[in-house]
Amino acid sequence: MARRATIKDVAEAAGVGVATVSRVLSGGSASPSTRERVLAVAAQLDYRPSALGRNLRQRRTGGMGLLVPDLTDTFFGQLAEGVLACARSAGEPVLLGSTGGDPEQEADLVGMLLEQSVDRLIAVPSGDAETWTPVIRAGMRVVFADRVPAAPFQEDPGVAAVNDLMRLDGLSPAPQTRPLDAPAVVADDRAGIRTAVRYLRGLGHKRIAFLGGPGQDSRVAAFRTAVGAPVDEELVVFGTGSRDSAYAAASGLFQSRPDLSAVVAGGNVLGEAAVLAARELDLRVPRDVSLVMYDDVPWAELCSPPLTVIAQPGRDIGYRAAELVLRAETRKPRGVVLPTELIVRGSCGPRR
């Protein structure tokens, strides 16, 4: 028998991503030329997505998917441990995938899970709402963990004018998004970052920098709010997600702004990069620069000096997300926000 065409076959033949095919076939947004090409290829390959929809609506396959950006990241490993622990207690298998923080790779993996009729998914998302809306519409039960997808938003002209005036005054209006119809289990980024900035301010630090990465929009927004207007934009820098990029961002920050006295790193990979860059540049911690890292990982206590951290419950986030995706079969679950904790060690000192 000939193999049935898959959504990935349609995407490859049409020269687009799996997410684009999913959007077109579920009635989502796409350009007229793209829509025409995808529909033509789907017809040529005799692809029938309605069968998938019936499978998702009518039968429960068992098992769940788990997608994370990086399995070598200690925090995501902790989150995965939580998911696996909950799944074991429920007798559920877990299909685990690493997206590399790439929305296209993430869309491909989601497409493969859909093709295998996996109907429940826990995801640390890399793509935005445009990627995830068709997945949820198809009937997959999704719970987001650690963060939620950014949602495209068409700004009202009146709101845009006000926001433009705020920017001219040095203020940073919060991004406006429309939430997806899926619960999320996240840490309280706002409280964690606010506590860290207040702690550093109490030590006399005024020029505090933030080192961020992909998926950390809420932490960046919390940092901007915590330091107050006007925000020195040169002290808010980003890596792209890889360790090399994180190191380059940290090193560039230290060299371009020798007047800064403290850094808040938005994750453990960024914290590691800040420690290495400071060492390479002969910056003494905390005498020359104080460091606070978001995430408490085992090596943080082994640093010299040990790192002050904003601890978030990675394993609990994973466990609660698995509970929610299992519970979704009987009732629509609500999202969960878990507390963070500032653990003071030796990497912060008074401003000299």
Side-chain angles (χ1 to χ4, degrees):
M1 293 181 63
R3 183 176 69 89
R4 185 172 67 87
T6 68
I7 193 171
K8 192 171 184 180
D9 293 332
V10 176
E12 290 177 353
V16 298
V18 171
T20 301
V21 175
S22 180
R23 283 199 304 275
V24 169
L25 297 180
S26 63
S29 61
S31 68
S33 60
T34 298
R35 181 180 300 280
E36 183 178 349
R37 185 165 71 254
V38 168
L39 292 176
V41 169
Q44 182 181 356
L45 296 179
D46 194 25
Y47 176 66
R48 295 183 294 276
S50 58
L52 170 63
R54 286 195 298 271
N55 282 343
L56 287 172
R57 289 191 296 270
Q58 295 176 2
R59 70 182 179 92
R60 174 180 171 279
T61 62
M64 66 180 76
L66 170 61
L67 298 181
V68 298
D70 181 4
L71 286 171
T72 67
D73 185 308
T74 305
F75 169 74
F76 295 131
Q78 293 171 348
L79 187 151
E81 280 294 327
V83 171
L84 293 172
C86 183
R88 279 194 299 269
S89 67
E92 295 284 348
V94 177
L95 293 176
L96 177 61
S98 177
T99 66
D102 179 3
E104 284 297 323
Q105 187 171 329
E106 177 180 76
D108 288 343
L109 288 170
V110 171
M112 285 188 281
L113 291 172
L114 285 168
E115 287 295 334
Q116 296 177 49
S117 294
V118 173
D119 59 358
R120 287 166 294 172
L121 176 63
I122 299 162
V124 180
S126 298
D128 61 16
E130 198 170 3
T131 299
W132 285 99
T133 297
V135 178
I136 296 169
R137 285 178 180 170
M140 179 173 274
R141 297 195 292 275
V142 178
V143 173
F144 297 115
D146 181 52
R147 59 196 187 217
V148 296
F153 182 83
Q154 298 299 322
E155 202 171 40
D156 177 85
V159 175
V162 172
N163 284 344
D164 287 342
L165 289 174
M166 292 179 68
R167 293 185 186 100
L168 289 174
D169 288 337
L171 303 176
S172 300
Q176 301 184 60
T177 59
R178 293 190 180 103
L180 287 169
D181 187 22
V185 181
V186 297
D188 192 346
D189 288 344
R190 183 177 178 181
I193 296 293
R194 181 178 63 236
T195 301
V197 170
R198 285 179 177 174
Y199 172 66
L200 291 169
R201 284 273 172 82
L203 293 173
H205 296 280
K206 295 181 180 179
R207 293 183 178 88
I208 305 171
F210 185 85
L211 185 59
Q216 296 180 0
D217 295 350
S218 64
R219 294 175 196 174
V220 177
F223 177 79
R224 293 179 187 279
T225 300
V227 297
V231 177
D232 187 340
E233 295 299 336
E234 290 184 353
L235 293 179
V236 182
V237 299
F238 299 91
T240 60
S242 70
R243 282 174 164 77
D244 287 345
S245 174
Y247 177 83
S251 180
L253 173 65
F254 287 139
Q255 293 181 74
S256 65
R257 290 300 299 266
D259 58 326
L260 70 82
S261 63
V263 175
V264 178
N268 66 80
V269 171
L270 296 156
E272 177 185 305
V275 170
L276 293 175
R279 185 179 301 166
E280 289 291 327
L281 295 169
D282 293 323
L283 294 173
R284 296 163 297 179
V285 178
R287 184 178 180 87
D288 297 324
V289 62
S290 291
L291 294 178
V292 178
M293 179 176 74
Y294 204 108
D295 285 344
D296 189 18
V297 293
W299 61 260
E301 286 190 277
L302 302 178
C303 284
S304 180
L307 291 189
T308 293
V309 298
I310 304 165
Q312 61 171 335
R315 193 176 188 278
D316 288 348
I317 289 174
Y319 197 98
R320 295 292 295 275
E323 284 185 326
L324 288 188
V325 85
L326 290 170
R327 191 184 308 161
E329 188 173 356
T330 56
R331 57 187 174 127
K332 186 174 180 179
R334 301 174 64 180
V336 177
V337 179
L338 297 177
T340 57
E341 178 187 4
L342 182 69
I343 301 177
V344 176
R345 296 182 179 133
S347 63
C348 296
R351 173 62 175 156
R352 297 178 183 275

